[in-house]
Amino acid sequence: MLDLTTKKIVERKALKINPAKTCQPIGAMYAALGVHACLPHSHGSQGCCSYHRMQLTRHFKEPIMASTSAFTEGASVFGGGANLKTAVKNIFELYKPDIIAVHTTCLSETIGDDCKTMIFQVEADVPEGKHVIHASTPSYVGSHITGFSNMVTAFITYLSVNSGVKNGKINMLPGFVQPGDMREIKRILSVMEIDNILFPDTSGVLDSPMTGSFEMYPLGGTKVEDIIDAGNSDLSLALGSYSAQAAAIELEKKCKVPMKTLSTPIGIEATDRLITELALLTHKAVPYSVEEERGQLVDLMLDSQGYFNGKKVAIYGDPDTVIGLTEFVISLGMIPKYVITGTPGDAFKREVDAILAKNDIEGSEVKAASDLFELHQWMKNEPVDLLMGNTHGKFIARAEDVPFVRVGFPILDRYAHQYFSIVGYKGSVRLIEMMLNAILDKIDRTCPEEDFELVM
Ligand code: SF4
């Protein structure tokens, strides 16, 4: 296990150990699954596709459908154009999707396959009313978040159109969040009576019910016609500068739809900003049911503050999620001592540092393109009271005996998380419950017998 991780920190330049990210096509595949009747297609070797499907299947506990160009030696040397042509023809004949979303892999990018031209060349094999799009997702740059963002942007580049007639809707780009989060965002929009296009939308796809019969394409997912129509909306709201903003910028550039970026609505302040923005946009009062949810959250924050105040926390994972969690734990009185993401990019440190400075918090380590080995070494030198992040942190949590909250992607060793939300006021209540339970469980487990209490 990780008991032998050393305290002594040695500067590393090229080597990553246990990186807090995974590869681009996984994010691209996830984004494509958020489009109704879309088949993600991996342009590369079978091994890449198997790994990406497996990782998503392990997280969502659902079979992930995707096809592959199945490169062998020939395609690896001479290019995968012929493979893609055969694949497109077979996929429409056999699996009958509305759209195929092609993403590249390290191999097809390295040999320089020009997917745009290849897709143009297979047009004759695309049935009337169906579509093929592609995103460039080489895994030696970026992360699964970059891949997600690239794929969402590609759908817009290929499909969205400004017809000149406004549809009176807002485009909501939720970023890389879970199906339960997408459901919660839709619920908030519905309660506030806001006509919208949520894109992508993996609810009803990766949290779909057992019906007794196999559905290649479950009922959920953003419809292709809605992605086309997104070019006629009044505004795009991007929730997250890493996973949602680029697509909103593309919509503005291509279809002249104005855009605004907000942070992922994790915690009371970020949710307040979203609700305020929606109320201002629609000139409608915030419904009582939303105020009630906020009041419940405030009540819980007050009830539990004794367990959070002044406690140090380490947070790692995807940048938009980690930025949201950082602001949230500060609102609980905690100190985000270590804040890292594996995804590269300057915006992460800038945004987290701004949150820390606004709250007069000094002495925190904040780093993009970091890894869990580095985080573990920091924790060995100065321990924390809580660790928050994906499943990969469980080894550190065990080695250091620190309470651990599983949040983000991937969560491979627990069930049901995809049904629940961490966004909005309701999501914050759930987060507090998980954080509190982790802390209280450790107190119960380690306290002296005379302090073992029935009521806490
Ligand atoms: S070769 Fe590249 S795309 Fe394929 S699994 Fe490895 S990192 Fe991901």
Side-chain angles (χ1 to χ4, degrees):
M1 306 303 282
L2 297 182
D3 297 336
L4 300 178
T5 299
T6 53
K7 246 178 142 176
K8 186 173 173 217
I9 297 173
V10 177
E11 201 195 333
R12 286 179 281 133
K13 281 196 180 138
L15 178 68
K16 292 275 173 242
I17 308 171
N18 212 351
K21 63 162 188 164
T22 184
C23 72
Q24 278 214 45
I26 290 182
M29 208 177 254
Y30 182 53
L33 290 164
V35 174
H36 180 66
C38 175
L39 192 72
H41 180 84
S42 170
H43 188 58
S45 66
Q46 281 171 304
C48 293
C49 187
S50 301
Y51 165 58
H52 305 145
R53 292 178 62 195
M54 178 200 70
Q55 191 77 341
L56 290 167
T57 297
R58 285 175 167 179
H59 175 82
F60 292 107
K61 322 294 185 211
E62 295 284 338
I64 299 299
M65 297 299 148
S67 52
T68 169
S69 293
F71 279 33
T72 50
E73 290 85 345
S76 304
V77 175
F78 300 112
N83 295 43
L84 188 64
K85 191 172 169 57
T86 309
V88 166
K89 203 163 169 292
N90 287 345
I91 290 166
F92 279 122
E93 265 175 36
L94 289 171
Y95 303 121
K96 301 179 175 36
D98 288 348
I99 181 165
I100 301 171
V102 179
H103 59 261
T104 56
T105 59
C106 298
L107 176 55
S108 54
E109 286 284 342
T110 303
I111 62 173
D113 265 4
D114 178 0
C115 277
K116 198 172 174 193
T117 304
M118 287 175 186
I119 288 172
F120 180 72
Q121 287 166 344
V122 300
E123 252 178 19
D125 296 314
V126 180
E128 178 87 23
K130 308 257 176 168
H131 307 266
V132 182
I133 67 139
H134 101 282
S136 179
T137 53
S139 229
Y140 33 79
V141 290
S143 72
H144 58 296
I145 295 300
T146 322
F148 178 89
S149 171
N150 288 349
M151 181 52 86
V152 178
T153 306
F155 274 105
I156 286 161
T157 308
Y158 272 89
L159 300 176
S160 299
V161 176
N162 180 345
S163 68
V165 182
K166 287 280 177 200
N167 60 20
K169 297 179 181 177
I170 70 157
N171 300 323
M172 184 62 87
L173 301 154
F176 194 111
V177 291
Q178 302 301 304
D181 297 320
M182 298 192 185
R183 270 185 202 277
E184 179 61 9
I185 291 167
K186 280 197 290 192
R187 188 190 66 82
I188 291 170
L189 291 167
S190 157
V191 168
M192 295 186 74
E193 298 176 339
I194 296 170
D195 218 356
N196 67 89
I197 296 170
L198 184 84
F199 168 60
D201 179 8
T202 55
S203 67
V205 180
L206 294 172
D207 61 356
S208 59
M210 171 64 75
T211 61
S213 62
F214 171 71
E215 301 291 342
M216 182 86 183
Y217 306 108
L219 290 175
T222 312
K223 301 252 183 339
V224 167
E225 54 264 35
D226 284 334
I227 303 174
I228 296 170
D229 191 34
N232 297 314
S233 295
D234 294 336
L235 178 80
S236 300
L237 275 183
L239 303 184
S241 55
Y242 274 81
S243 58
Q245 183 171 264
I249 290 172
E250 177 69 5
L251 262 169
E252 186 170 59
K253 211 167 71 186
K254 188 178 177 203
C255 304
K256 309 278 175 288
V257 180
M259 56 85 59
K260 191 158 191 176
T261 304
L262 298 174
S263 45
T264 306
I266 296 172
I268 192 158
E269 289 167 80
T271 308
D272 282 353
R273 288 197 293 273
L274 173 64
I275 300 292
T276 306
E277 189 68 37
L278 294 174
L280 286 172
L281 275 175
T282 55
H283 307 291
K284 286 182 185 170
V286 176
Y288 174 70
S289 62
V290 175
E291 284 184 26
E292 186 181 45
E293 288 164 19
R294 187 182 191 280
Q296 288 171 332
L297 171 61
V298 173
D299 190 43
L300 180 60
M301 287 168 76
L302 284 170
D303 289 346
S304 57
Q305 60 88 25
Y307 291 102
F308 292 129
N309 194 40
K311 294 284 189 315
K312 284 185 254 176
V313 53
I315 309 170
Y316 63 91
D318 300 335
D320 293 333
T321 307
V322 170
I323 291 166
L325 288 171
T326 303
E327 189 179 40
F328 178 49
V329 299
I330 293 172
S331 74
L332 297 174
M334 302 181 89
I335 300 161
K337 180 69 192 158
Y338 309 123
V339 185
I340 68 157
T341 181
T343 298
D346 298 336
F348 178 74
K349 186 161 168 49
R350 210 170 42 239
E351 289 185 40
V352 175
D353 280 347
I355 294 169
L356 296 173
K358 191 176 148 204
N359 291 281
D360 295 324
I361 293 175
E362 291 173 354
S364 297
E365 296 278 4
V366 181
K367 197 166 173 186
S370 181
D371 60 32
L372 292 185
F373 185 78
E374 185 167 36
L375 176 68
H376 192 185
Q377 288 191 307
W378 288 341
M379 285 171 61
K380 277 200 166 293
N381 284 284
E382 189 175 341
V384 294
D385 303 291
L386 185 68
L387 177 66
M388 299 178 78
N390 61 45
T391 286
H392 292 286
K394 73 187 277 184
F395 302 96
I396 299 175
R398 182 171 159 132
E400 302 307 317
D401 192 18
V402 60
F404 178 42
V405 171
R406 286 167 179 78
V407 58
F409 175 87
I411 297 176
L412 309 171
D413 61 339
R414 291 293 185 272
Y415 287 75
H417 45 83
Q418 75 270 36
Y419 300 115
F420 296 99
S421 168
I422 60 163
V423 303
Y425 301 125
K426 276 185 177 295
S428 305
V429 167
R430 176 167 175 263
L431 269 175
I432 291 181
E433 188 200 12
M434 291 195 294
M435 293 161 71
L436 211 45
N437 286 350
I439 290 169
L440 294 176
D441 280 347
K442 181 168 181 193
I443 294 173
D444 273 348
R445 194 162 30 83
T446 57
C447 71
E449 203 166 298
E450 61 272 24
D451 293 335
F452 189 61
E453 298 287 355
L454 181 71
V455 181
M456 297 173 86

